[in-house]
Every structure is written in C-alpha cells, then in structure tokens.
Amino acid sequence: MRVLAVLLPVITALVLATVPASASPPSLWRLTDLVAQRVRIADQVAAAKYGTGSPIDDPVREQQIYDSVAARAPELGLDPAEAVRFFRAQVEASKLVQRGLHARWAEHPAEAPATRPDLTEIRPAIDRMNTGLLAELAATRQLRTARTCPARLLVAARVADVVHRFDALHARALRAATAATCAV
C-alpha cells in the first residue's frame, strides 16, 4: 500500500506530462488539497481545546457553518443541501482528528502540545478555507457529477495524502472529508 502511495504521484505526473497543457484534464486537486488543509488545521483546534474541558462537538459553531454555506450556495449555482452535506463531512473529519489527537495525547502526555492556540485566531482561517472550498465546489461541479469522479477523487486524495505526509489518523480523516465530494 505504501508503494502505491509513493508511486501514484509519479504515475499521475507522468500521465499529465504527456497531455498538452491546453488539453490537460480537469482535476479535483485544488478542492482535495483545500480539504487536506482543513483536515490539517484540526490539529490546532484540538490543541486549543485539549485539557480545557471544551467539548470537541460544538453544535452552535457547526450550525453557523452550515447556515452560512446554505445561504451562499445558491449564488454559486450550488444546491444548498449538497453544499451542507459536503461541509458536514468536513466538520466530522475535523472532529475525527480532534478525538484521535486527544486520545493520543492522553495516552502519551509527552506528545501533548506545549502551547494552546486561541480558537478566535484559528476560526477566521477555517472560515477562509470554507470560502475557498465553496468556490471549488462550484468550479468542480461538472467533475463531481461525472461518472469519472470517484476515480479522479481517488487519485487526488492519494496525492494529497502523500503531499501532506498524513499519518493514519489524518489519512482516515481525509477519506471521511472527501466522502461527500462526488455526486454520482
């Protein structure tokens, strides 16, 4: 499996190198990379909450995200329910990372973060990522409804896994976060 993870980006690059730039196939890379960045920022959220008694689940914040996405989706030509479904996967993936890190840190206290980030500084970055993700959902609408979406997504997710050097926890979260990408 690790060999595939190493070879997949090379194979993808070779395939894309043989296609003229003007004819390069559309890709889910930017969307998947943004999803991976959002998975990664969950580490900071986990560190901000660890040891404070703050729950990982934050229904008020989650609903704010869903309401914002649903309100902005139509102006981008997106179905609000589809957009909310995609963002629900992002939130659940973030909580997966947070729970995993909290468990890891409880079991191995020496690995726990030495500093605690401020959530009020992290949330604007997440909001910017959400804006980018929403724009990419709109930009990739045709790809996400195409029969080839699952295969393209698999390639993009494998490349993101390697590029971001995800461990098993983050790779699992990336799979969860991309689960609602294709609409086929």
Side-chain angles (χ1 to χ4, degrees):
M1 183 66 168
R2 199 64 189 149
V3 172
L4 177 63
V6 171
L7 290 178
L8 193 57
V10 173
I11 293 167
T12 303
L14 289 172
V15 168
L16 293 177
T18 64
V19 178
S22 61
S24 64
S27 165
L28 292 171
W29 168 249
R30 178 141 169 73
L31 177 64
T32 308
D33 186 50
L34 285 170
V35 168
Q37 291 174 43
R38 198 173 190 295
V39 165
R40 177 65 72 199
I41 204 167
D43 291 20
Q44 293 178 41
V45 176
K49 293 179 180 180
Y50 186 70
T52 66
S54 294
I56 289 172
D57 291 285
D58 187 349
V60 172
R61 169 71 174 159
E62 293 169 26
Q63 193 59 52
Q64 289 170 344
I65 291 170
Y66 304 145
D67 291 346
S68 173
V69 165
R72 293 167 39 205
E75 68 194 39
L76 295 169
L78 295 170
D79 173 46
E82 176 189 343
V84 168
R85 187 179 78 248
F86 176 82
F87 277 89
R88 192 172 307 279
Q90 306 316 299
V91 169
E92 292 305 315
S94 177
K95 292 190 291 188
L96 177 71
V97 169
Q98 292 175 58
R99 286 188 184 99
L101 289 176
H102 282 204
R104 183 182 301 165
W105 296 335
E107 191 171 319
H108 304 283
E111 295 178 18
T115 60
R116 182 171 290 118
D118 185 345
L119 273 178
T120 61
E121 294 176 12
I122 300 168
R123 285 184 171 154
I126 293 171
D127 292 340
R128 284 189 298 276
M129 285 181 197
N130 289 347
T131 297
L133 284 165
L134 201 53
E136 281 303 308
L137 276 179
T140 58
R141 183 178 27 249
Q142 283 187 309
L143 282 174
R144 293 182 305 98
T145 58
R147 184 176 50 81
T148 58
C149 182
R152 289 175 186 269
L153 181 61
L154 178 64
V155 170
R158 294 283 190 236
V159 172
D161 184 16
V162 171
V163 167
H164 289 273
R165 297 182 176 166
F166 281 159
D167 59 11
L169 171 63
H170 291 82
R172 192 168 71 237
L174 180 63
R175 285 191 304 275
T178 58
T181 300
C182 296
V184 290

